[in-house]
Amino acid sequence: MAVQQSMGPDPYFPGNGDSRYRVHRYELTLDYRPGPNRLSGTARINAIVGRAPLSEFQLNLADFKIGRIRVDGRQPHYTHRGGRLRVRPAKPLRAGAAFTVEVHWSGNPRPVASPWGELGWEELHDGALVASQPIGAPSWYPCNDRPADKASYLISVTTPSAYSVVAGGRLLTRTTKASTTTWVYEQAAPTSSYLVGLAIGKYETVLLGDPGPGGVPQHGHIPAHLLPQFSRDFARQPAMMNLFQMLFGPYPFDEYAVVVTDEELDVPVEAQGLSLFGANHVDGARGSERLVAHELAHQWFGNSVSIADWRHIWLNEGLAKYAEWLWSERSGGRTAQQLATIAHRLLSTLPQDLRLSDPGRKLMFDDRLYQRGGLAVHAVRCALGDDAFFRMLRGWAGLHRGAAVTTATFTAHVARYADEPLDGLFAAWVDGTRLPPLPLADSRLAV
């Protein structure tokens, strides 16, 4: 059964989020001026108290000037220090009650410092970009910043008319008045705070492929001078979408967009219904095609099916890594077995001190987690055989759509498709640190 809320604070980021309530909708109204990098905003947050009354609660928000706060229309007492906005309503909120918080804020957004560099709102040479995984969301809006607390979003952004605004979700309206344009997007599907993506820049918009009746609209937003390279590098994304829907089940959102910034990014970043790539990922030679597959796969694994807390990040990255291998296998490249062999050989030369089920904050984005996660998924495929394995994946994406899960949820799910217990497989690959032998495909795998 999916975990909607994990109990207590996230063990890796105890200062982020508040498990005593949950949000079901954010309505964000933003005004952004790229020149001075000036952001002002209003958030209307609809939430529900948990099982105990709330005399105070916490939101996460970076160092902005607070203009006004209201809880159910009344002025609360609040403090705002160290990225934490602590709010004490005029009277305690009863258990199970719905309540609304309004926050007005303004300032110069900048990324949140982290062990992996700066995260969140990034001012570009000409525009801005939001890439929040894992704790960057408070760099631009007040939120209950925990991955299990998923909500719908309505986002309105006003910016000078020379700029385009791209957000994950469906564009409802675009209204121009004088020299500014207001873009309104809705993401109706439950969304984790770190997966709210936003890009502001001067982009050309193209349709990728013909979705046809009932298909998934796929758009690219690209600087004009990169269009020729983009057209080749992302040409096979519609085929990826078709393959992944066949293997994983229906695409979980209304549409899918990719943005290419005019600056380099260390790695592409997924958001809900949206992926963000740097100019360095566009070379006209499909040099980053595996990353195109990886980010698309995250729409099922990581975005639709999210993790209850950051200990379980291998579920996101291992399954997305394996999707890279499946795309290669099904599109005429190396088979998953060949790619697993390469990954296993690499890991055998590296320290064996990483545990997938709880890698620790320091190692949660270590490349070994991605490779070992892919190998663990391959081991499951080898144990189940193709028919049961792909039924398992489709069941995983379907049963837990819009929810949050743990490693224990996954192992219990896989067990239902196995002819014999897989406790030893998970103990070795997921709970252990020593590298197990290379999993080998047998005759049941169509490779």
Side-chain angles (χ1 to χ4, degrees):
M1 184 176 177
V3 175
Q4 296 294 347
Q5 292 278 286
S6 59
M7 298 301 293
D10 190 302
Y12 292 179
F13 303 101
N16 281 57
D18 189 332
S19 60
R20 297 171 297 173
Y21 71 96
R22 60 185 177 88
V23 178
H24 64 86
R25 186 167 178 82
Y26 291 86
E27 296 180 355
L28 307 178
T29 304
L30 309 173
D31 188 291
Y32 180 65
R33 305 299 154 132
N37 185 39
R38 183 75 179 173
L39 178 70
S40 59
T42 301
R44 182 179 177 87
I45 303 169
N46 298 316
I48 298 172
V49 182
R51 295 179 178 178
L54 275 185
S55 59
E56 56 86 26
F57 60 89
Q58 173 185 301
L59 290 163
N60 292 103
L61 180 64
D63 186 21
F64 289 98
K65 178 182 178 182
I66 303 294
R68 190 179 77 165
I69 298 180
R70 295 288 184 270
V71 177
D72 290 335
R74 302 180 66 181
Q75 184 173 337
H77 177 78
Y78 71 89
T79 61
H80 184 210
R81 287 191 295 270
R84 300 187 196 186
L85 182 58
R86 298 184 184 275
V87 181
R88 191 168 75 238
K91 67 177 194 176
L93 303 168
R94 72 179 189 278
F99 66 102
T100 300
V101 186
E102 290 189 19
V103 182
H104 299 248
W105 75 100
S106 61
N108 300 106
R110 58 180 183 268
V112 172
S114 84
W116 312 279
E118 296 186 324
L119 305 171
W121 189 287
E122 182 178 351
E123 181 186 8
L124 302 177
H125 175 69
D126 194 17
L129 177 73
V130 170
S132 292
Q133 187 179 11
I135 55 169
S139 68
W140 65 289
Y141 75 100
C143 56
N144 190 15
D145 193 30
R146 52 201 310 269
D149 195 14
K150 304 176 70 168
S152 66
Y153 282 78
L154 183 71
I155 303 175
S156 170
V157 183
T158 300
T159 198
S161 295
Y163 294 86
S164 297
V165 175
V166 184
R170 188 161 55 96
L171 178 63
L172 299 182
T173 61
R174 183 178 66 187
T175 308
T176 298
K177 292 182 179 179
S179 60
T180 64
T181 298
T182 299
W183 306 68
V184 180
Y185 285 87
E186 178 157 36
Q187 177 56 268
T191 307
S192 300
S193 52
Y194 81 93
L195 288 171
V196 183
L198 186 67
I200 299 171
K202 295 174 181 176
Y203 300 119
E204 296 286 332
T205 299
V206 298
L207 181 66
L208 283 160
D210 180 3
V216 180
Q218 300 175 65
H219 289 91
H221 306 271
I222 317 103
H225 70 97
L226 292 176
L227 265 172
Q229 297 95 314
F230 176 88
S231 296
R232 176 167 171 76
D233 291 330
F234 285 78
R236 300 211 291 181
Q237 184 179 282
M240 289 179 193
M241 178 70 79
N242 291 337
L243 175 65
F244 290 170
Q245 289 196 98
M246 182 180 74
L247 299 181
F248 310 149
Y251 178 73
F253 309 116
D254 291 335
E255 48 193 83
Y256 182 57
V258 293
V259 172
V260 178
T261 75
D262 212 0
E263 301 185 24
E264 293 192 358
L265 299 179
D266 289 341
V267 293
V269 181
E270 78 273 9
Q272 187 131 315
L274 170 69
S275 293
L276 308 164
F277 294 80
N280 51 310
H281 300 123
V282 177
D283 60 8
R286 299 210 303 255
S288 296
E289 189 171 82
R290 72 171 185 85
L291 300 176
V292 176
H294 185 102
E295 302 311 321
L296 177 58
H298 270 313
Q299 302 305 319
W300 286 264
F301 308 122
N303 298 5
S304 176
V305 182
S306 302
I307 49 175
D309 64 58
W310 290 105
R311 288 174 297 183
H312 310 289
I313 188 171
W314 85 273
L315 290 172
N316 297 358
E317 302 303 345
L319 286 161
K321 169 60 70 175
Y322 201 67
E324 295 177 28
W325 299 357
L326 290 172
W327 168 249
S328 173
E329 180 172 282
R330 298 298 179 100
S331 64
R334 289 171 168 150
T335 66
Q337 185 64 55
Q338 290 170 327
L339 291 166
T341 302
I342 294 168
H344 194 273
R345 188 179 303 129
L346 171 65
L347 288 178
S348 69
T349 68
L350 299 174
Q352 296 178 27
D353 58 355
L354 182 143
R355 178 175 289 105
L356 286 183
S357 58
D358 191 1
R361 189 168 82 164
K362 183 178 178 181
L363 297 180
M364 60 185 280
F365 293 115
D366 192 294
D367 188 58
R368 292 174 295 161
L369 180 136
Y370 293 64
Q371 301 290 346
R372 186 179 179 118
L375 280 166
V377 176
H378 188 63
V380 170
R381 183 183 178 190
C382 291
L384 295 182
D386 267 17
D387 179 66
F389 175 75
F390 288 111
R391 282 192 291 109
M392 181 277 294
L393 282 186
R394 287 189 291 272
W396 177 248
L399 286 169
H400 303 292
R401 180 171 177 161
V405 297
T406 66
T407 297
T409 321
F410 183 71
T411 57
H413 176 81
V414 172
R416 292 198 285 272
Y417 295 82
D419 294 331
E420 54 192 43
L422 298 181
D423 298 5
L425 183 154
F426 285 113
W429 280 105
V430 178
D431 295 321
T433 57
R434 184 182 297 276
L435 184 66
L438 174 69
L440 295 172
D442 64 22
S443 58
R444 293 181 296 168
L445 269 63
V447 295

